[in-house]
Amino acid sequence: MSLELCYETEETLDLPYEEIAEKVIAACLAGEHCPFAAEVSLSFVDDAAIRSLNREFRNIDRETDVLSFPMLEFEAPGVFPEIGEEDKNPDTGEVPLGDIVINVGRVKSQAAEYGHSETRELAFLLAHSMLHLMGYDHMEEEERLCMESRQRDILDGLGYRR
C-alpha cells in the first residue's frame, strides 16, 4: 500500500496524521481483504477548498467534513473487481483506489462536538472514506447499518474508541 499525501491548508493538525492515515488505511484494506496492492491519495484542505470540491462534484454548495472519490466500480461493498495490468499504476504496480479529501477544520470541530480526540475523529473520517472507496455507501438504512458496523470494527480493532 502506498499513500500520496498533500497538506494544502495553513490550519494545522497537532497529531501524527500521516502515521494515523497509514495505520487506518492499511487496516481497512486488510479488513476488506483487498486482493491487490493499492494506492490512496489523501489531501488535507480548508473549508473553502472542500466547499469548492463539494459544489463541483456533488452540486452541494457547502462545506463538509470529508469527500471520497473512488477510482474503481464495485458490484457490492467490499467485492473487489478483477484487476488487469491496465488498471495498475505503471510506475508502482499498485492499483489506484481513489482520493480522500479531509477538511482539517471539521476534524477539530467535530472532535469537540462529539467529545472525543482529534485523533479519533481523523481515524473515523479515514475509515469512513476508505469504505466508500471500496464500494460502501449509506444511502439506504441497510447500507448505513452495514457501513457503520464495518467502521466500528475497524476503529475498535485499532483502539480508536469514542
Side-chain angles (χ1 to χ4, degrees), residues 83-97:
I83 298 298
E85 286 302 311
E86 69 279 2
D87 298 311
K88 297 178 181 178
N89 178 332
D91 296 329
T92 65
E94 295 179 323
V95 177
L97 197 54

Side-chain angles (χ1 to χ4, degrees), residues 62-78:
R62 69 173 188 268
E63 296 84 14
T64 189
D65 51 3
V66 64
L67 292 170
S68 306
F69 299 97
M71 299 289 284
L72 301 176
E73 290 191 36
F74 288 74
E75 287 182 35

Side-chain angles (χ1 to χ4, degrees), residues 94-118:
E94 295 179 323
V95 177
L97 197 54
D99 302 328
I100 297 171
V101 182
I102 292 180
N103 182 342
V104 171
R106 285 289 185 93
V107 171
K108 294 177 174 192
S109 66
Q110 288 178 179
E113 179 182 341
Y114 298 129
H116 55 241
S117 70
E118 291 177 10

Side-chain angles (χ1 to χ4, degrees), residues 1-8 21 25 38-44 66-71 94-102 126 129-130 133:
M1 179 219 59
S2 67
L3 173 64
E4 179 184 322
L5 194 135
C6 297
Y7 205 96
E8 302 173 3
I25 291 168
E39 60 184 40
V40 175
S41 172
L42 172 60
S43 297
F44 290 96
V66 64
L67 292 170
S68 306
F69 299 97
M71 299 289 284
E94 295 179 323
V95 177
L97 197 54
D99 302 328
I100 297 171
V101 182
I102 292 180
L126 287 162
S129 295
M130 281 299 296
L133 296 186

